[in-house]
Amino acid sequence: MRQPTLFLTVGLPCTGKTTAARRIEIERKALRLTKDEWVKALYGRENPPSAGDVIEGRLIQIGLRALELGNNVVIDYGLWSRNERSCLRQAAADLGATAELRYFALAPAEQRRRLDQRLAEAPHTTWPVTDEELAEWATIFEIPTRGELDGSEPVDDPPAGFATWDQWRGHRWPPSVS
C-alpha cells in the first residue's frame, strides 16, 4: 500500500488555498475537505464562529480516517497557528502518512481585490470581510517556518497542559457546538 499524504493549505482568505486544493484533489487523487463549502451548505449566509471550529474538527476526523484507509487528503482552510499545523502533522505521522504544507500569501491589496471579486462574482461561496478584519487576521496569523514547509523541522511538543496532540486536538476542535 502506498503511503498517503495529508496536504495542509495554509494562508489567509483569498490567497489561493482552495484553487490549489482543487488542483491537488485531481492531481493526487485526494479527498478535498474545504471548510467554507460545509459552512455555506449548513448555514447559508451565516458564518457562526462556534460552528466553524466544530466543522473543522469533523472534517479533520474524516480526513484522518481517509488517511488511515490509505487515501490522500487535503485539509483546505487557513490553519493560522503553528499549533494547528503541528497537531495535524503529528496526526498524519501517527497514521504512517506524510504531511505537506502549502503556504499561500498575497499583498493585502491583492487579497482585498480577490475578496471583492469573489463577493461580486460568486457571493454564494463567501461572506463579506472588512478591511479591519483582514488587518486583524494578519496580526494573528503565524507564518510557517521554512522547516515546517519542507518538513525538516520536528513537530513541536503539545502546548502546556496537554500530554498529547490528540488531547489538544479535542480541545481546539470541540465535538459539538456549545
Side-chain angles (χ1 to χ4, degrees):
M1 184 192 292
R2 65 181 167 77
Q3 184 180 37
T5 301
L6 176 62
F7 297 94
L8 304 173
T9 62
V10 178
L12 291 166
C14 271
T15 54
K17 296 180 307 295
T18 299
T19 299
R22 288 181 177 132
R23 197 169 34 252
I24 294 166
E25 174 185 30
I26 301 301
E27 292 172 0
R28 300 295 298 271
K29 296 180 175 46
L31 173 63
R32 179 176 56 86
L33 300 169
T34 299
K35 174 187 158 188
D36 287 354
E37 292 173 358
W38 287 77
V39 174
K40 277 293 190 180
L42 294 169
Y43 294 96
R45 293 181 184 178
E46 301 299 315
N47 188 7
S50 62
D53 290 345
V54 173
I55 290 170
E56 287 180 11
R58 295 294 178 168
L59 294 178
I60 289 166
Q61 288 175 333
I62 292 166
L64 295 179
R65 178 64 179 138
L67 280 177
E68 190 175 39
L69 295 171
N71 299 294
N72 293 329
V73 174
V74 183
I75 299 290
D76 177 28
Y77 38 90
L79 300 169
W80 294 358
S81 80
R82 182 179 174 101
N83 281 342
E84 292 171 333
R85 299 186 299 265
S86 292
C87 177
L88 295 177
R89 288 174 60 208
Q90 185 61 58
D94 290 346
L95 294 171
T98 60
E100 288 186 25
L101 274 66
R102 304 286 174 94
Y103 171 53
F104 302 88
L106 283 177
E110 177 61 13
Q111 183 185 15
R112 173 84 265 162
R113 187 194 69 74
R114 287 185 182 189
L115 278 163
D116 292 343
Q117 181 178 1
R118 182 189 293 172
L119 195 57
E121 294 175 2
H124 62 284
T125 66
T126 194
W127 298 269
V129 176
T130 67
D131 289 339
E132 291 77 19
E133 287 172 316
L134 288 177
E136 178 187 344
W137 296 341
T139 66
I140 296 167
F141 183 79
E142 298 175 23
I143 296 171
T145 64
R146 183 181 316 267
E148 275 186 283
L149 294 170
D150 68 18
S152 64
E153 253 178 54
V155 173
D156 298 328
D157 290 333
F162 297 94
T164 67
W165 278 113
D166 284 342
Q167 286 179 349
W168 185 86
R169 189 172 71 230
H171 172 76
R172 167 61 186 89
W173 291 291
S176 63
V177 175
S178 52

